Amino acid sequence: QAGFTCIQPNGYVADNTDLCDGDVNKTDPGACGCGVADVATTWYADTDADGLGDPNDSQAGFTCNQPLGYVADNTDLCPGVPGTVGSACDDGDPNTIGDVIDANCNCAGTPVGPICTGNEIAVVINTDASPGDITWEVRTEGGALLASGTPANANSTNTENVCLGSTPEVACYKFQLFDSFGDGIANGGWELRSSNGKLILRDDFASGSMSPANPQASLGYGSAHSFCLPLGPANIAATECGIFNNGQGNKVYCNKVTGATQYQFEFSDPDAGFIRRIVRSTYYVHFWDMVTSPLVPGVHYFARVRTNVAGPVASAHWGSGCETGLSPLVPCTQLIPFPNYGHSCNETRAFNPPTNNSFIYATPIPGATQYEFRIYNTNEGYDQTFLRNTYILQLKWNNDVAPKLVNGSTYNVAVSVKLGGTWSTGCTGACTITIDNNGGNGFASMEQTGFGEATLWPNPVRDGQVNLSINGLRNADQSINVDVQDIYGKQVFAQEFGNSGERFSTILQLPSDLASGVYMVNITVNGERTVHRLSIVR
């Protein structure tokens, strides 16, 4: 060293890293003419050719070139097998996973149990504080027990993969749950899933000693939850799942199955043993389509669907499903606000006219089973309620039914509706009707026909829902046909109805893909026909 100086001495540098400088005071690593091999390297034998040297093997010593069969490290703790402790390997056992070389240089994995050769499902139970009260069973369609179990952990999700044994790959099964204490699962529930994770069935088992309940709410449900594997090709769309504020006009969709002409939708309350099925030619269904046995607002239903793509619908397998439901709030309604059609809020009407054609109309609520019309005038002390199974109230009764409406007086009208067994509540406001028996304003229809008065509204229509009302029908029983054609005469909608009595009313649900324009509505009653124009605006 030249010693400290502020000025760099001529011929000196600030480091001392050169191992081949000829300085006898440093240790030189042998011949420094090897170029890149200026640093000494100890090479270890690689007996198993895995790129790792064994420190117990002989060393080759320093050399400028890597000897054949040697490597520069000594990390191989298991020279007898390729790799070292912790390296991935394959022990050849299909019933193990995560195979690695252990501390004894043996390849070993974690057992996973036998491989299921038949159908397999996952039984998932979200338990409460008493999981031992719950048991479940899976049986064949004929009743033979295939599997059973009890969840082990409290207040948690317990999942058990169940191999359904040597049953055929195409088979149907029955599933039941039992609670020995009789109070179900508090804030929990159960579900069945396929081996690839698709949801087969689900419910909460909130109370009771068994699921489904005994007796079942629907006779057709059966004493157990039925399912078939493999699942069918039609699955409820993910966008429909977990929606519990649907209105009657909302649709439930599944995927479109090529070749299918029938889709059977099922809405069930599994724990109660309730089932409601409906067949449609489209891959969706409206809630209002279920007029008889309508779904109850506020109940969570499990929805699934099957098709006739591989044979009759009745023998097809259901696809995967999910839960959905109607809003627990029943919508409010009121008299129809269409004054141009002569049956609306704040209009003048006759009472008990000779023609019997004085009616007031509430705005229809799809799926509603009853309408309650309250007519009142506080100053006159008049307050009467009329219950009807339709949204139409004929202003015709005698004093044996209720006091008559007085000519020249104005009355308030409030309307409540019953939907799924629940009446609308919290509805405010009322319309008025003024009684004029002097011919000031009678019933105005779109066109007088040979069989009565036919009315379509609204017109134009934007959402495809058209109200049709026919009054003054002469025959006791009628066959009513509705045929809608475009301006080229192509039929775009047709429906047939049966009716008894002097009045008929319904809601026409026109196809959602109809273009804007003018359409001709042909209405035929017992062979007599009338034609109306209907405008569609999108």
Side-chain angles (χ1 to χ4, degrees), residues 18 61 146 255 277 302 323 509 536:
D18 190 353
L146 293 174
N255 58 295
R277 294 173 178 173
F302 190 87
E323 290 180 315
Q509 182 61 49
I536 294 179

Side-chain angles (χ1 to χ4, degrees), residues 22-246:
D23 185 349
V24 295
N25 294 321
K26 297 188 178 72
T27 300
D28 295 326
C32 289
C34 294
V36 297
D38 285 345
V39 179
T41 300
T42 301
W43 303 95
Y44 294 86
D46 181 15
T47 58
D48 52 8
D50 58 2
L52 303 174
D54 179 4
N56 297 320
D57 288 340
S58 59
Q59 301 177 6
F62 171 81
T63 178
C64 294
N65 298 311
Q66 179 178 356
L68 182 65
Y70 284 75
V71 293
D73 63 72
N74 62 348
T75 59
D76 192 356
L77 302 179
C78 298
V81 296
T84 187
V85 175
S87 298
C89 60
D90 183 3
D91 64 0
D93 187 350
N95 296 319
T96 60
I97 59 173
D99 300 345
V100 296
I101 298 175
D102 62 18
N104 298 318
C105 297
N106 296 317
C107 185
T110 302
V112 295
I115 300 299
C116 183
T117 57
N119 285 320
E120 187 175 11
I121 61 171
V123 177
V124 184
I125 300 181
N126 294 312
T127 58
D128 55 18
S130 303
D133 294 343
I134 302 297
T135 57
W136 55 264
E137 294 180 351
V138 180
R139 295 179 179 270
T140 65
E141 198 171 26
L145 182 64
L146 293 174
S148 62
T150 296
N153 301 312
N155 300 311
S156 61
T157 300
N158 293 252
T159 301
E160 184 167 348
N161 294 320
V162 180
C163 182
L164 300 179
S166 59
T167 56
E169 294 184 2
V170 179
C172 295
Y173 307 91
K174 295 180 178 181
F175 177 75
Q176 285 180 290
L177 294 101
F178 305 92
D179 177 38
S180 60
F181 194 75
D183 62 348
I185 304 175
N187 301 314
W190 61 272
E191 64 184 36
L192 300 179
R193 289 188 176 272
S194 65
S195 58
N196 58 355
K198 291 188 176 182
L199 187 58
I200 301 173
L201 278 173
R202 169 191 287 164
D203 213 338
D204 53 16
F205 198 15
S207 62
S209 60
M210 63 184 301
S211 173
N214 185 19
Q216 297 80 43
S218 302
L219 293 177
Y221 193 92
S223 60
H225 308 293
S226 63
F227 66 97
C228 298
L229 296 174
L231 296 177
N235 307 308
I236 297 295
T239 53
E240 308 297 325
C241 299
I243 307 299
F244 303 113
N245 61 347
N246 286 294

Side-chain angles (χ1 to χ4, degrees), residues 198 228-236 255 257 305-307 309-310 316-321:
K198 291 188 176 182
C228 298
L229 296 174
L231 296 177
N235 307 308
I236 297 295
N255 58 295
V257 179
V305 64
R306 59 185 179 181
T307 74
V309 68
H317 288 191
W318 301 100
S320 64

Side-chain angles (χ1 to χ4, degrees), residues 273-317:
F274 170 84
I275 194 170
R276 176 66 166 91
R277 294 173 178 173
I278 183 170
V279 176
R280 283 291 175 266
S281 60
T282 58
Y283 60 101
Y284 60 84
V285 61
H286 289 91
F287 282 97
W288 67 38
D289 289 334
M290 290 168 277
V291 179
T292 59
S293 299
L295 301 185
V296 178
V299 176
H300 292 187
Y301 292 96
F302 190 87
R304 57 184 182 176
V305 64
R306 59 185 179 181
T307 74
N308 67 340
V309 68
V313 166
S315 58
H317 288 191

Side-chain angles (χ1 to χ4, degrees), residues 311-349:
V313 166
S315 58
H317 288 191
W318 301 100
S320 64
C322 63
E323 290 180 315
T324 188
L326 289 164
S327 170
L329 301 177
V330 178
C332 297
T333 189
Q334 189 46 271
L335 297 185
I336 294 174
F338 288 114
N340 292 336
Y341 296 99
H343 42 260
S344 62
C345 258
N346 309 323
E347 66 168 340
T348 300
R349 309 298 297 130

